[in-house]
Amino acid sequence: GSPMPIYCSGRNSSEFCVEVAESLCTEEDGRCSPESCRCEDPTWMRQELQTLNGSQCFTCIPRPTNCAIDGSTCTPGPCECADVTHVKVRVAPSPGDEQATPCFRCQAPTGRNAEASMLASFVLFIVAGLA
């Protein structure tokens, strides 16, 4: 990358000089850092973005929480599927617990049989409609 800037002050602006060793990426919503940077919080991940004029910039975001995949549990609040082939489903709250935080689970999409039976009933409706 480009060399890090040097900032000086004092007599003739050269008495005390500091060289920037590294930059921290911004974590502010809607803002990004134009220079190469690292995340202050090591658990966060650096995200590369493009500005409207096409230049590169960086921001730090918390790593997404992965949703549960075990059929008997669910993850409250926002989460992502670790496996991109899975689908995220909302788990119905327990009776009497309708005020609970929404809870999600990731699961493999239902197999071909579900699609085939849906397609078969769709074709049946068309045939019945023509009769």
Side-chain angles (χ1 to χ4, degrees):
S2 58
M4 288 297 199
I6 298 175
Y7 297 99
C8 298
S9 66
R11 202 170 329 161
N12 299 332
S13 291
S14 63
E15 197 171 357
F16 306 104
C17 292
V18 176
E19 186 175 355
V20 177
E22 63 181 343
S23 295
L24 296 176
C25 301
T26 183
E27 294 171 0
E28 246 180 275
D29 262 352
R31 300 194 58 135
C32 64
S33 305
E35 70 281 342
S36 186
C37 53
R38 72 170 179 86
C39 298
E40 185 173 14
D41 184 334
T43 65
W44 285 32
M45 59 189 230
R46 189 175 83 161
Q47 187 177 43
E48 188 175 319
L49 303 170
Q50 293 283 324
T51 61
L52 290 175
N53 68 8
S55 58
Q56 182 182 45
C57 69
F58 305 94
T59 186
C60 288
I61 56 170
R63 291 189 185 276
T65 301
N66 289 333
C67 303
I69 52 172
D70 178 4
S72 62
T73 63
C74 62
T75 303
C79 61
E80 304 287 326
C81 293
D83 184 334
V84 293
T85 65
H86 283 181
V87 291
K88 184 164 110 174
V89 293
R90 185 172 178 166
V91 178
S94 308
D97 197 16
E98 282 75 22
Q99 299 301 317
T101 302
C103 205
F104 301 94
R105 171 184 317 126
C106 289
Q107 63 188 37
T110 47
R112 292 189 192 280
N113 295 343
E115 290 172 26
S117 65
M118 203 165 81
L119 187 61
S121 58
F122 181 70
V123 171
L124 186 65
F125 286 133
I126 293 173
V127 172
L130 295 175

